[in-house]
Amino acid sequence: MFCFVNNDLIKREDAKIGISDLSIIRGYGIFDFFRLKDNVPLFMDDHLERFFLSAKKVFDEVPFDKHDLEVKIRQLIETNKMPVSGIRIVLTGGYTPDGYSIGSPNLIITQEHIKFPPDESYRTGIKLITYSYLRELPEVKTINYMTGIWLKKEIAKAGAFDVLYHHNGLVCELTRSNFFIVNQQNEIITPDRSILKGVTRRKVLDLARQKFKVHEAPVSVDDLRTAKEAFLTGTTKKVLPVTLIDDFTIGDGKVGAVTKELMQQFSLFEEQFIKQG
């Protein structure tokens, strides 16, 4: 298995980064991640666009452009030959001279095996637990996942799939996914603030608008109890139904018609994208 460290294509086991990198000392860095299916990068342009938006927010200068990055990614895909996999792009804070100042960023590109939720989760829905937390720079895909990882024991103890963050009474996002509800009027609502706007979220919103009334608007914690349906979206989750949150059931506890429709539409959209190459 090969990876890139800056401009060097090397075996993953030989990859190294110095201990003075700000990503190690202070957790400073950004990343993005997308899937390959049948060796086709899914929505890579969207992910690279978001990657550079994140990079420009947290770095004074990015030492490469989109074309340079795409060339490296395609070279890595050709070298590793993993038709179903994930590409992770990380830009670190660089080697810091004083333990706090940003250095020249280090670029790391890896290709890795991916794991999807079990089929049963799509048939019956998943459980979430809630937790009051607001990510720093929520519009940026940073490498800081400390809270989500710290909560893994609580998630497992509750028999849940993941945690849903909320702040000041408003729902935000999950650790690695966006969240949606369907109200009693079959309108789809997804939080519009204090979130990372996911690529899958954007695609599902575009599909949903073709058939349903859609709102990007605040979702309160109280709205969860009156929701008819709920689901999440993410790169490795696609459209995943939610039927239980904490101690209460969403709707009738079954995967709803709107969610099923979007699951099917997104699957078809993905297949069409792959056929177009």
Side-chain angles (χ1 to χ4, degrees):
M1 183 96 58
F2 285 80
C3 67
F4 265 102
V5 177
N6 295 317
N7 292 316
D8 298 324
L9 180 64
I10 55 178
K11 288 186 177 180
R12 187 161 180 155
E13 59 266 28
D14 296 330
K16 296 179 177 65
I17 188 168
I19 60 173
S20 65
D21 193 286
L22 204 60
S23 63
I24 298 173
I25 295 176
R26 304 289 181 183
Y28 197 90
I30 60 104
F31 82 104
D32 219 296
F33 180 87
F34 61 89
R35 282 191 293 128
L36 267 68
K37 184 175 181 181
D38 297 336
N39 225 41
V40 176
L42 293 175
F43 321 130
M44 182 168 67
D45 285 345
D46 299 272
H47 284 277
L48 294 187
E49 177 186 357
R50 184 176 65 181
F51 176 80
F52 279 98
L53 286 174
S54 293
K56 288 175 182 177
K57 281 183 177 291
V58 300
F59 294 105
D60 294 331
E61 184 179 352
V62 180
F64 52 85
D65 60 23
K66 181 180 175 183
H67 174 74
D68 296 332
L69 185 55
E70 186 171 345
V71 168
K72 287 183 173 65
I73 291 169
R74 293 196 179 278
Q75 184 178 353
L76 188 66
I77 292 171
E78 178 62 28
T79 301
N80 284 330
K81 293 179 170 42
M82 296 173 62
V84 178
S85 56
I87 296 290
R88 186 179 304 274
I89 315 159
V90 180
L91 199 60
T92 76
Y95 299 127
T96 175
D98 55 11
Y100 207 72
S101 300
I102 299 173
S104 178
N106 285 304
L107 173 67
I108 302 166
I109 312 174
T110 58
Q111 189 169 12
E112 57 200 61
H113 296 287
I114 53 176
K115 184 179 180 181
F116 299 97
D119 291 343
E120 183 70 13
S121 296
Y122 293 94
R123 289 194 295 267
T124 63
I126 59 163
K127 176 183 179 180
L128 303 177
I129 60 171
T130 57
Y131 187 77
S132 179
Y133 174 65
L134 180 65
R135 289 193 306 110
E136 292 181 316
L137 302 175
E139 73 279 7
V140 175
K141 198 168 178 67
T142 72
I143 62 173
N144 180 7
Y145 279 69
M146 185 166 181
T147 298
I149 294 171
W150 175 67
L151 286 169
K152 284 185 69 176
K153 288 183 180 179
E154 293 299 318
I155 296 167
K157 183 179 177 181
F161 178 83
D162 204 351
V163 61
L164 177 62
Y165 295 141
H166 59 89
H167 180 69
N168 289 339
L170 295 179
V171 173
C172 303
E173 59 192 354
L174 288 88
T175 58
R176 293 163 292 174
S177 311
N178 290 115
F179 183 74
F180 296 71
I181 63 170
V182 180
N183 65 17
Q184 296 298 322
Q185 292 73 45
N186 280 349
E187 298 172 332
I188 298 169
I189 312 171
T190 187
D192 64 339
R193 62 195 67 180
S194 300
I195 63 167
L196 178 74
K197 294 186 176 181
V199 171
T200 306
R201 173 186 183 271
R202 186 195 307 175
K203 303 301 182 185
V204 170
L205 283 171
D206 289 343
L207 292 169
R209 289 189 178 103
Q210 297 175 19
K211 188 169 183 179
F212 302 100
K213 186 172 287 188
V214 175
H215 306 282
E216 295 183 67
V219 175
S220 73
V221 174
D222 291 338
D223 289 335
L224 301 178
R225 292 186 176 270
T226 60
K228 188 176 179 181
E229 303 177 30
F231 60 92
L232 59 87
T233 60
T235 297
T236 58
K237 288 90 174 176
K238 306 177 187 178
V239 179
L240 183 61
V242 177
T243 50
L244 189 64
I245 300 179
D246 291 332
D247 60 349
F248 61 91
T249 301
I250 300 294
D252 62 3
K254 298 179 181 179
V255 180
V258 175
T259 303
K260 286 180 178 178
E261 173 75 14
L262 291 175
M263 290 167 66
Q264 181 181 26
Q265 289 303 314
F266 183 75
S267 179
L268 291 172
F269 175 73
E270 187 178 286
E271 291 302 321
Q272 290 171 357
F273 185 93
I274 291 167
K275 287 178 182 179
Q276 293 170 0

Coordinates of all heavy atoms in Angstrom, one line a residue, residues 50 54 57 133-142 172-173 178 193-198:
R50 N -14.1 21.7 -1.1 CA -14.2 22.0 0.3 C -12.9 21.9 1.0 O -12.7 22.7 2.0 CB -15.2 20.9 0.9 CG -15.5 21.1 2.4 CD -16.5 20.1 2.9 NE -16.0 18.7 2.9 CZ -16.7 17.7 3.3 NH1 -17.9 17.9 3.8 NH2 -16.1 16.5 3.2
S54 N -11.4 24.9 3.4 CA -11.0 24.7 4.8 C -9.5 25.2 4.9 O -9.2 25.9 5.9 CB -11.1 23.2 5.1 OG -12.4 22.8 5.2
K57 N -9.0 28.9 5.2 CA -9.4 29.5 6.5 C -8.4 29.3 7.6 O -8.4 30.1 8.5 CB -10.8 28.8 6.9 CG -12.0 29.4 6.2 CD -13.3 28.7 6.7 CE -14.5 29.3 6.0 NZ -14.7 30.7 6.4
Y133 N -22.5 19.9 22.7 CA -21.2 20.2 22.2 C -21.2 21.0 20.9 O -22.1 20.7 20.0 CB -20.4 18.9 22.0 CG -19.0 19.1 21.4 CD1 -18.0 19.7 22.1 CD2 -18.7 18.5 20.2 CE1 -16.7 19.9 21.6 CE2 -17.5 18.7 19.6 CZ -16.5 19.3 20.3 OH -15.2 19.5 19.8
L134 N -20.3 22.0 20.8 CA -20.2 22.7 19.5 C -18.7 22.6 19.1 O -17.8 23.0 19.8 CB -20.6 24.2 19.7 CG -20.5 25.1 18.5 CD1 -21.4 24.6 17.4 CD2 -20.7 26.5 18.8
R135 N -18.5 22.1 17.9 CA -17.1 22.0 17.4 C -16.5 23.4 17.2 O -17.2 24.3 16.8 CB -17.1 21.2 16.1 CG -17.3 19.8 16.2 CD -17.0 19.0 14.9 NE -17.6 19.6 13.7 CZ -16.9 20.3 12.8 NH1 -15.6 20.5 12.8 NH2 -17.6 20.7 11.7
E136 N -15.2 23.5 17.4 CA -14.5 24.7 17.0 C -14.5 24.8 15.5 O -14.3 23.8 14.8 CB -13.0 24.6 17.5 CG -12.9 24.7 19.0 CD -11.4 24.7 19.4 OE1 -10.6 23.9 18.9 OE2 -11.1 25.5 20.3
L137 N -14.6 26.0 15.0 CA -14.7 26.2 13.5 C -15.5 25.1 12.8 O -15.0 24.4 12.0 CB -13.2 26.2 12.9 CG -12.2 27.2 13.5 CD1 -10.9 26.9 12.9 CD2 -12.7 28.6 13.3
P138 N -16.8 25.0 13.2 CA -17.6 23.9 12.6 C -17.7 23.9 11.1 O -18.0 22.8 10.6 CB -19.0 24.2 13.3 CG -19.0 25.6 13.7 CD -17.6 26.0 14.0
E139 N -17.5 25.0 10.4 CA -17.6 25.0 9.0 C -16.3 24.5 8.3 O -16.3 24.3 7.1 CB -17.8 26.4 8.5 CG -16.7 27.4 8.6 CD -16.4 28.0 9.9 OE1 -17.1 27.6 10.9 OE2 -15.6 28.9 10.0
V140 N -15.3 24.1 9.1 CA -14.0 23.6 8.7 C -13.9 22.2 9.0 O -14.2 21.8 10.2 CB -12.9 24.4 9.2 CG1 -11.5 23.8 8.8 CG2 -13.0 25.9 8.8
K141 N -13.4 21.3 8.1 CA -13.2 19.9 8.4 C -11.8 19.7 9.1 O -10.8 19.4 8.4 CB -13.3 19.1 7.2 CG -13.5 17.6 7.4 CD -14.0 16.9 6.1 CE -14.2 15.4 6.3 NZ -15.3 15.1 7.2
T142 N -11.7 20.0 10.4 CA -10.5 19.9 11.1 C -10.2 18.5 11.5 O -11.1 17.6 11.4 CB -10.5 20.8 12.4 OG1 -11.3 20.2 13.3 CG2 -11.0 22.2 12.0
C172 N -27.1 20.3 15.9 CA -26.0 20.6 15.0 C -25.7 19.5 14.0 O -26.3 19.5 12.9 CB -24.7 20.9 15.8 SG -24.9 22.2 17.0
E173 N -24.9 18.5 14.4 CA -24.5 17.5 13.5 C -24.0 16.3 14.3 O -24.0 16.3 15.5 CB -23.3 18.0 12.6 CG -22.1 18.5 13.5 CD -21.1 19.2 12.7 OE1 -21.2 19.4 11.5 OE2 -20.2 19.7 13.4
N178 N -24.1 14.5 8.7 CA -25.2 15.6 8.8 C -26.5 14.9 9.1 O -26.7 13.8 8.9 CB -25.3 16.4 7.5 CG -24.1 17.3 7.2 OD1 -23.3 17.1 6.3 ND2 -23.9 18.2 8.1
R193 N -26.8 25.9 10.5 CA -25.7 26.6 11.1 C -24.9 25.8 12.1 O -25.4 24.7 12.5 CB -26.3 27.8 11.9 CG -27.2 27.5 13.0 CD -28.0 28.7 13.5 NE -29.0 29.1 12.4 CZ -29.8 30.1 12.6 NH1 -29.8 30.8 13.7 NH2 -30.6 30.5 11.6
S194 N -23.7 26.2 12.4 CA -22.8 25.5 13.3 C -22.6 24.0 12.9 O -22.5 23.1 13.7 CB -23.4 25.5 14.7 OG -23.5 26.8 15.2
I195 N -22.4 23.8 11.5 CA -22.2 22.5 11.0 C -21.1 22.5 9.9 O -20.8 23.6 9.3 CB -23.5 21.9 10.4 CG1 -24.0 22.8 9.2 CG2 -24.6 21.8 11.4 CD1 -25.0 22.1 8.3
L196 N -20.6 21.4 9.6 CA -19.8 21.2 8.4 C -20.8 20.8 7.3 O -21.6 19.8 7.5 CB -18.8 20.1 8.6 CG -18.0 19.8 7.3 CD1 -17.0 20.9 7.0 CD2 -17.2 18.5 7.5
K197 N -20.9 21.5 6.2 CA -21.8 21.2 5.2 C -21.2 20.1 4.3 O -20.4 20.3 3.4 CB -22.2 22.5 4.4 CG -22.9 23.5 5.2 CD -23.4 24.7 4.4 CE -24.2 25.6 5.3 NZ -24.7 26.8 4.5
G198 N -21.7 18.9 4.5 CA -21.2 17.7 3.8 C -21.5 17.7 2.4 O -22.5 18.2 1.9

